[in-house]
Amino acid sequence: MTMTFINLPVRDLSTAAEFYRALGFTADQTEPTGDSLALTISDSTRLMLHVRSAFEAYTGVATPDTATSREVIVGLSAQSREQVDELVDRAAVAGGESLGPGMANGPMYMRGFRDLDGHQWSFLHLSS
């Protein structure tokens, strides 16, 4: 089985972990120890949060300023249009920034948000 690991720099591990737990992501440990923390999104997808200095040690370059640039947009599937809206609404309540109403494009419905560190995410549902 293929696993996906999404690695992101964050200003504060505890605050970031609390934000992602509000979206339903889970972690084996309740509080971060060290410079990184893994959260489970699904059986095959993990979110790896790293303090900026640890992230920069892995990449060998400075962390981009998310206020002026995007390094990536992370997209995750949802089971329904309602779940897309629910997840983005949860992100906004937890302190993230909703990027507006959902957009439908044929069988795809998508809605985006920015997390506490300015990383852009979208949830999408593809109807069959």
Side-chain angles (χ1 to χ4, degrees):
M1 174 189 298
T2 300
M3 294 281 299
T4 300
F5 294 88
I6 302 165
N7 291 267
L8 294 176
V10 298
R11 286 183 286 274
D12 181 278
L13 277 176
S14 294
T15 303
E18 185 178 320
F19 174 82
Y20 287 109
R21 283 189 184 106
L23 296 181
F25 301 178
T26 59
D28 291 338
Q29 54 194 101
T30 55
E31 286 297 319
T33 55
D35 293 334
S36 300
L37 177 71
L39 291 117
T40 300
I41 298 173
S42 71
D43 289 341
S44 61
T45 307
R46 302 289 185 276
L47 174 60
M48 307 298 294
L49 302 176
H50 309 280
V51 295
R52 290 180 182 272
S53 59
F55 188 83
E56 290 171 354
Y58 289 130
T59 63
V61 297
T63 302
D65 178 0
T66 56
T68 59
S69 66
R70 296 283 163 255
E71 73 278 14
V72 67
I73 298 173
V74 179
L76 299 173
S77 64
Q79 295 178 352
S80 67
R81 290 173 63 119
E82 294 78 19
Q83 186 182 37
V84 168
D85 289 331
E86 175 191 337
L87 289 165
V88 174
D89 290 343
R90 273 199 235 165
V93 167
E97 175 191 359
S98 171
L99 298 178
M103 299 182 314
N105 185 2
M108 183 183 76
Y109 177 73
M110 180 181 75
R111 191 168 165 209
F113 70 93
R114 289 196 185 100
D115 68 15
L116 302 177
D117 290 281
H119 304 294
Q120 191 162 324
W121 292 74
S122 62
F123 285 107
L124 57 99
H125 172 68
L126 295 170
S127 58
S128 30

